[in-house]
Amino acid sequence: MDLVAPTTPTLPATVPQVQARRSPFVAAVLGWLMPGFAQLYVGRPGKALLMLVAIGSLFYAGLALTGFTCVNPQAYSLEFAAHALLGGPTAAAYHLTQGIELAEPMPWFEAGRLYAAVAGLLNVVAICDALGDVIDHNRKVAGQMVIRQRFVLEREAEMARALEATQEREARELAAADAARMADETALLFGATAFSEPGLETLSDGPAAETAPTEQDDDLGRDDAGRSDAGRSDAGSSEPSSDGPSDEPTDEGRIG
Amino acid sequence: MSWSDLIWLPPVMIAVAMVLGATGRHGAREVTRSIVHTFIALTLGVVIVGLVIHVVAQVFA
């Protein structure tokens, strides 16, 4: 009988994958550095491009309409607070436009100041939108982690049940193999004993019992007759034998 | 005061509509629709507020 080799069940390859969590802080910093980068970090490139175009073009238009002089914390401190909400472009404009003086007043100067300030405020809206997306993403990741954990637990329980069933089957097969081997050994031993002991041969139902009596059988019959005589004498002295009545013909008589 | 003095307004309105319309929306079609709706609402709001200011200015002038 072939025994099944013990197998170690492994997790299937279909374990639900969990996306990486995203940091709201990183999203806010990226969105502050450049409009649209927060959306890019969240994984929305289309919206990132839209934010970059809308806010960036408005900020650049504001700079252009003011002759690149509106980012000036000394002259326009309140507007600079709004500009500071757009960190990267404001820092770049501040360092690149220092020392620029307007030779003549610009016709749309006030509109330019408004544009640049509104761009900074709109960047706050864009950052908040990215933070909302980060929260939604992390919530989805948490759901995926719960699903994956449940999946892994179910698979582990299933594997434990399969392993237990395999061990039980192997134990049953081992027990059956042992029983079969013991039966074979017993049969061999019993057969050898039956064929080696002359007295058991006559009792067996095998073909040896149906063969014609030989000289050895005659000797055995005499021995049996002697034993029966002894039994008869014993029976006379004590209670009768359960083999039958005492006047039953013995083997000696049959053989004789 | 002429209509040309208000030409600075549409760029701001477009930018605001683009940012506010895209906020909280997912998908190109939904974002586009939301931007259009936001721009229409913003335009109506600006026009209504402008008319109210104009009327009030005419009354109290």
Side-chain angles (χ1 to χ4, degrees):
Chain A
M1 182 182 296
D2 294 332
L3 295 179
V4 177
T7 56
T8 304
T10 57
L11 272 176
T14 56
V15 178
Q17 298 298 317
V18 178
Q19 296 176 338
R21 293 175 65 90
R22 303 197 191 282
S23 169
F25 179 75
V26 174
V29 169
L30 287 175
W32 178 74
L33 285 176
M34 186 64 70
F37 275 23
Q39 280 77 15
L40 204 61
Y41 173 69
V42 174
R44 303 192 183 281
K47 190 185 280 188
L49 185 64
L50 182 72
M51 297 293 183
L52 181 62
V53 169
I55 299 173
S57 60
L58 192 65
F59 187 74
Y60 185 79
L63 288 177
L65 290 176
T66 58
F68 298 96
T69 58
C70 68
V71 183
N72 190 348
Q74 286 80 29
Y76 314 107
S77 56
L78 192 60
E79 292 173 22
F80 187 78
H83 298 159
L85 298 173
L86 199 57
T90 299
Y94 178 75
H95 287 289
L96 292 175
T97 61
Q98 275 188 333
I100 295 179
E101 296 287 340
L102 288 176
E104 55 186 16
M106 305 285 289
W108 297 94
F109 188 84
E110 302 301 326
R113 290 172 58 187
L114 179 69
Y115 282 9
V118 170
L121 295 174
L122 287 179
N123 194 42
V124 176
V125 178
I127 290 173
C128 291
D129 173 58
L131 291 180
D133 286 344
V134 167
I135 291 171
D136 289 343
H137 174 82
N138 288 343
R139 194 174 296 160
K140 190 172 72 175
V141 168
Q144 288 177 348
M145 289 178 68
V146 168
I147 291 173
R148 185 182 190 280
Q149 191 173 6
R150 193 177 300 163
F151 181 86
V152 169
L153 287 175
E154 287 177 358
R155 286 295 171 275
E156 284 179 353
E158 191 176 318
M159 282 192 302
R161 287 195 297 269
L163 186 61
E164 190 176 349
T166 304
Q167 289 174 348
E168 286 182 359
R169 192 177 71 245
E170 288 173 2
R172 281 200 303 271
E173 288 174 355
L174 281 173
D178 287 343
R181 193 180 68 246
M182 288 181 65
D184 291 342
E185 289 176 355
T186 305
L188 284 173
L189 185 63
F190 184 75
T193 306
F195 283 107
S196 61
E197 289 187 7
L200 293 175
E201 190 180 0
T202 56
L203 297 176
S204 65
D205 295 329
E210 299 173 3
T211 54
T214 59
E215 291 183 14
Q216 191 178 6
D217 293 335
D218 293 340
D219 295 336
L220 289 170
R222 289 191 199 99
D223 291 339
D224 290 338
R227 276 191 219 122
S228 62
D229 291 339
R232 203 183 313 156
S233 61
D234 291 338
S237 61
S238 64
E239 58 184 1
S241 174
S242 61
D243 291 339
S246 59
D247 56 351
E248 184 180 9
T250 61
D251 293 338
E252 187 180 7
R254 258 186 312 187
I255 293 172
Chain B
M1 181 71 182
S2 64
W3 288 105
S4 61
D5 292 335
L6 298 176
I7 201 166
W8 58 271
L9 198 53
V12 183
M13 288 171 55
I14 290 173
V16 171
M18 286 174 72
V19 174
L20 294 185
T23 300
R25 309 289 180 183
H26 304 302
R29 182 173 298 181
E30 190 181 0
V31 167
T32 306
R33 189 186 308 157
S34 178
I35 287 173
V36 171
H37 289 174
T38 306
F39 182 75
I40 292 172
L42 204 57
T43 305
L44 287 176
V46 168
V47 168
I48 290 171
V49 172
L51 286 176
V52 169
I53 291 174
H54 183 72
V55 169
V56 170
Q58 290 291 327
V59 168
F60 291 99

